[in-house]
Amino acid sequence: MISHPSRHCAVELQALPSRIGQVRRIVSAQLRYWHMDSLIDRASLGVTELLSNVHRHARPDKTCTVEMELLLDRLKVSVRDHDPRLPVVADAGPLATCGRGLAMVAAMSESWGVVPDGELGKVVWFTLPAPSATAPVAWDRHPRLTAGERTDHRFAEVALVEHATEGHRPAPAPARSAVAG
């Protein structure tokens, strides 16, 4: 399952609720191995939301691959599935019981995006700053879709925009998942 223990981890699975909890435990163990314990909660939350989206929306099957890559100053977590349809950030109302997953991923991550792979599917990813990175995570950033740097017009990336009021950073609330595990 682990392709190179010091920089990269990949797991292929069926995105079923019972497997999502197992992948969270794998993510936690890998981050402990990399001495990045401070990223466990946010990485587990992000991967849970992305896998829940695969479980809920992906067609024709629920097979996907979760990858974690340790880059110089950040952790990149991605989920590849076989559904070419791109996810949409929903504007969930206050009483909605679903539709907030991508907004949560955007709120807790440094950046996130989607890379379409034609009829083969897509990759949804997010990054978290490595503990050695000097910049703290800004919990008061808002996602905004922008054109990516690639020449492929289908590529979209999310840029984060800081609030105008510097210094005001609300404390993050503990994350809870509806998926057992």
Side-chain angles (χ1 to χ4, degrees):
M1 280 193 189
I2 298 174
S3 51
H4 189 285
S6 65
R7 308 287 292 168
H8 187 261
C9 174
V11 178
E12 185 171 346
L13 70 141
Q14 289 286 319
L16 303 173
S18 61
R19 296 294 308 233
I20 294 171
Q22 182 180 16
V23 170
R24 270 201 316 265
R25 289 187 291 279
I26 292 169
V27 166
S28 296
Q30 187 64 47
L31 289 173
R32 278 189 204 91
Y33 178 77
W34 285 337
H35 305 285
M36 301 180 87
D37 297 43
S38 63
L39 299 182
I40 290 173
D41 289 341
R42 287 182 289 150
S44 295
L45 173 64
V47 80
T48 297
E49 293 305 327
L50 297 185
L51 289 174
S52 296
N53 282 350
V54 172
H55 173 69
R56 180 170 282 139
H57 302 291
R59 293 184 206 135
D61 61 47
K62 308 299 181 190
T63 302
C64 62
T65 302
V66 175
E67 291 185 69
M68 293 193 326
E69 186 176 8
L70 184 56
L71 305 170
L72 290 176
D73 61 347
R74 67 187 39 88
L75 173 72
K76 182 176 183 182
V77 179
S78 59
V79 175
R80 175 184 298 273
D81 66 46
H82 299 127
D83 191 341
R85 297 174 302 153
L86 301 181
V88 176
V89 179
D91 187 18
L95 300 178
T97 58
C98 61
R100 294 180 181 87
L102 289 176
M104 285 194 319
V105 169
M108 65 86 196
S109 66
E110 181 180 58
S111 61
W112 77 277
V114 179
V115 180
D117 193 12
E119 294 299 313
L120 299 176
K122 65 183 166 301
V123 178
V124 182
W125 57 269
F126 65 90
T127 63
L128 299 172
S132 61
T134 57
V137 174
W139 289 90
D140 59 342
R141 293 179 174 183
H142 294 283
R144 176 176 52 116
L145 290 176
T146 62
E149 294 179 18
R150 288 187 176 183
T151 57
D152 184 352
H153 69 281
R154 298 174 303 160
F155 181 76
E157 186 173 305
V158 171
L160 295 170
V161 181
E162 300 266 351
H163 273 287
T165 56
E166 286 295 318
H168 172 69
R169 297 187 191 269
R176 294 206 181 348
S177 173
V179 179

